[in-house]
Every structure is written in structure tokens, then in C-alpha cells.
Amino acid sequence: MISARPTPFLIAPAILALLFISACQHEPRPSGQNGSEQGRPAPLLLISIDGFRYDYFDLAETPALDRLVAGGLKADSLHHVFPTKTFPTHYTMVTGRHPGTHGVVANSMWDPIRDQRFSLGNRDAVGDGYWYQDGEPIWVTAERQGLTSATFFWPGSEARINRIRPTFWKPYAGDTPHADRIEQVLDWFDLADDGRPDLVTLYFSLVDSMGHRHGPRADAVRDALVDVDRHLQDLFDGLDKRGWLDRMHVIVVSDHGMSRVDFDQYIMLDDYLDLSRVTVSDWGPAAQIWATDSSAEEIFQALDGAHPRMRVWLREDIPARYRFGTHHRVPDVVAEADLEWMISNRPFMAGRSRFQLLGMHGWDPALAEMHGMFVAHGPAFTAGSRIPAVRAIDLYELMTHLLGINAASNEGSISPFQPLLFSTYPARVEELRFQCEEGELRVRIGPAHAAIHWQDLIHVLDPIDGNTAEGRDWQEVDLSLRIDHGGASAVLDDLELGPCLPLPIDH
Ligand code: AMP
Ligand code: ZN
Ligand code: ZN
């Protein structure tokens, strides 16, 4: 359904850039659309700390985050989507669609229909709604249903998507001081009720930048965490002082984790492929390759088995649990390196030093090191609640539910969160450990989903209806788990585990 909402505000990009200096952009809202105060939902503040790996909580003192964790819900981690990069994962969180559906398939991508490239450094592309129109971000859903939204950065938020923008938004400027971001968010909450946003997004890139430059868990990453947390403290104190903090929902997420990379672990694609006959739209942990002057089959044959640390798939053979294969921006061939390995080419690497890049992300979202963080606070979340790893794809359903609006068509589900909402008791994680022939299997079970921790992977699975006292089953595409009196058995991609015997439970 296309909204009839008018968008009376069209400014050339150059003028836009000038306007940014003084203030955020403001799209006037048509009169009479907003609900009455009584019918209005608790405000929702969605905060992203880019590159905050799930295990960073023990890296630094983070009193502001700890306050939310103590008073609300924390998941072990946030399972993202492929590829685990900023634009695809952020757009998944706000649309409930996989990159292979919403179409933001990389930070750098090629659109064969338009014959155009997108990269996150390209202002015109980043602000062009064409790239985002196959998903409906939550601010569009909210605005269409009469709510007001405000974004202090979020991938996609500068663009008119299906003709709608947030009421308040900012052109991305990574050097905006953190204090200014906090001040603006507080100012939004100070607006008179009929102007105050119902949905606010806030974004910080510093932890990610330090992770890339110095490697995960480096001192500089710790300092960045402390800095972001100090500003969050100011924000939460400010919201508290205004009487908002306990009357609103705050969700803090990150868009992926971070892994170390090694200068000696680069796979040079030009050793195997004539790069003049293909187009590579994205490089790094995974390469997205188009058959421009060759066939997909030729590329596949050239790369299949070429390097022991690299896998290659034709579009139709990409593993089902990546859910990547459908959008026209998904390339003919995807090559993925092992964790800590990168795919590049000799001209690009010439003259690079081993100290330029010590951290990266973009690999299989199930790898623990690619998992982000998730914390939620507010009336719907019971203090002290803990759950296993949750999926980023389910956040859109959760957030539209919290805002009391109808979700657009999406691929997520509220099920993992449903039993937690407004519950009397805090949710607890049941942990079971099993010894399999191939190693130890750890299962973390929540009220409505479970996570399998196997070697360096964390998978999220849904319960199968009809679980009984005799046995409990969970599943996900290419994955399954059964626990019964005899122990556990599991299928993880091509691996069949079991029977695995119960191990004593740690207390
Ligand atoms: P990544 O390496 O995938 O984590 O990308 C992180 C980088 O994305 C940040 O350092 C920013 O420079 C950039 N970025 C984040 N949000 C935006 C945005 N809304 N518009 C443009 N660039 C962005
Ligand atoms: Zn990122
Ligand atoms: Zn990054």
C-alpha cells in the first residue's frame, strides 16, 4: 500500500549539505495524522553501537549499559544476517527482511538493472531511495500510521523510501560530536507533545572504527566503549530527569561483531581469475562477483577449490541459512573466506602495510565473532530478564509491536520475545551441555527459542510445535536439535551430531 502522505519538501543535494550546518532536516507533517495523547505508544529509542561484539561487556566499565541490563532484558548476543556489514545488517534490523530481500546486499553493491554502483561513501547513492525500496523501514511504517520519527543517523534514513522520510533526520556526518547527538535526542524529547517523536534512532561508529584500526578488544576499543557509555549515561540521566526513562522503551543493538585479520592471510583473487572479465562489487571476508565478460560457471570453476581457505557458490547454491539468493543485486557468484582470512587483489594490496587494518567483519553471521549485542529496557521488559542469542531479523516485529503499529510484510517473528513482554517474572536461560563424539555441545534455552553453541558458531533455532516431556525439538533452515532422556542430537549444516550425552550442569 502506498501512503497518500504528501512530501512537500524537495531540496537539491548541494543545498541540503548547506542546511545541515545549522540544524536537522524537518519534514512538516500533514495535520490531523497524529493519534491523541491517550492512544500514543511509549516512545521507542533505538541505539546502535556499530561493531560492539557481544563479548565486549567485560572489556570496560559501562555503567550506563549496565543500568539498562539490570533493569531490563539482555540477550547473550545478536545473530545477524549475511553479509555482516553495516548497511545490510542495519537495514535488516529496521525492516525485518534479509539483505537478499530488502536489496541492500553490501556496503558496496552493483545494481544490474540500473547499471549503477552504491557505496556508503557515495552521498548521492546513500540518499537515493531506490536502493532501499524493497524493504519498509520502521520509520516509514511509523510515519504511515500517524506516528512521528526522528533519526540521528541510521543507514537509509536520509533517503525518501517509497516517498516517505523520518519527520526529523540528519545527513550522515561521522564527525558529529557524541555530545551533540545526545543533546539533540534530549531536545526531541523536550518538544511539545504533538511534535515529540514516538520513534528515535541514534548511532555511534567509534567502537567499529577502533576495532578495524586496532583489532577487537584492543585498548582503543575499550576507550571507545567508555566514551560511548559516558555519553549514554548523560542521555539516560537526561531522560530520567525528564521522567521519560521508565515510561519509554530503549533498545541498544550493534550491527555485527569484529574479528582479527592478518596481513599474511589474504587470498588474491587475481591469482585465479582474470579480473578484466568480471566485476567484483564487494571485497573482504566475502567477494561478490558478476559475470560481465565471462560466465558464472567459468568463474565458479576457476575459484572452486582454488584456495583451501575460500568457498565459492553460484547464486542458486548459496547456503539456505544465509537467505541471500533472491534479490537482483545478489551477484552471480559469492566467494567467502574463512574467519580471519580476506579476499582481495594484488593491485589493491600493493603498498598496503600490515598495520592498516587489524579488525574486520562480514563473514558467516553464525560465527560467534560476528555476533552483535542486544539490550532492551522499558515497561515491556522485566528487570533482570536474560535470553539466549536472538536474531536481528526479528527486531522489526518486536519494535512495531512495542509501538502498537501494523508491521509491513517481513521475514521476522515476534515469537522469541512474546512470552517475555510484560511478564511478571524475569526470563531465565536454561543451559544444558552435552558430550558428542566430535566435541562439546552447549544448548541455551529461553522461553520461546534456543541457541546452539558449537565450536566457533552460535545458531538460533525455533521450537517445533508439539514438544512433550519425552522430547523437545528446535529447528532452523539446515539446522535441527532434539533433546530427550537419552541426551541430544543435532544437525548443523552437513554435520550430524549425536547421540550426545548430558554433562553435569555448572552452578
Ligand atoms: P562497517 O565497516 O561496515 O562497519 O561500516 C562502518 C562505517 O559506515 C562507519 O564508520 C561510517 O563511516 C559508515 N556509516 C555508518 N552509517 C552511515 C550512514 N548512515 N551513511 C553513510 N555512512 C555510514
Ligand atoms: Zn558496522
Ligand atoms: Zn566496520
Side-chain angles (χ1 to χ4, degrees), residues 208 212 256 361:
D208 177 72
H212 284 297
H256 47 70
H361 49 87

Side-chain angles (χ1 to χ4, degrees), residues 486-498:
S489 53
V491 176
L492 306 177
D493 297 327
D494 298 331
L495 181 68
E496 284 189 33
L497 295 178

Side-chain angles (χ1 to χ4, degrees), residues 50-51 84-90 107 118-123 126 132 153-158 170-174 203-206 208-209 212 255-258 360-361:
D50 199 309
T84 42
K85 292 278 193 160
T86 297
F87 267 61
T89 57
H90 272 94
N107 286 346
F118 173 101
S119 74
L120 53 71
N122 178 336
R123 269 251 96 80
V126 161
Y132 311 97
F153 305 152
W154 199 274
S157 63
E158 305 174 38
K170 308 270 186 185
Y172 186 72
Y203 169 82
F204 300 96
S205 64
L206 189 65
D208 177 72
S209 309
H212 284 297
D255 57 340
H256 47 70
M258 187 69 68
M360 196 25 107
H361 49 87

Side-chain angles (χ1 to χ4, degrees), residues 376-411:
H377 183 274
F381 304 103
T382 312
S385 296
R386 302 291 174 263
I387 51 172
V390 285
R391 293 192 197 94
I393 195 82
D394 296 331
L395 297 186
Y396 174 77
E397 280 280 335
L398 171 66
M399 293 190 292
T400 50
H401 183 85
L402 293 177
L403 285 173
I405 51 180
N406 297 319
S409 150
N410 71 89
E411 297 163 310

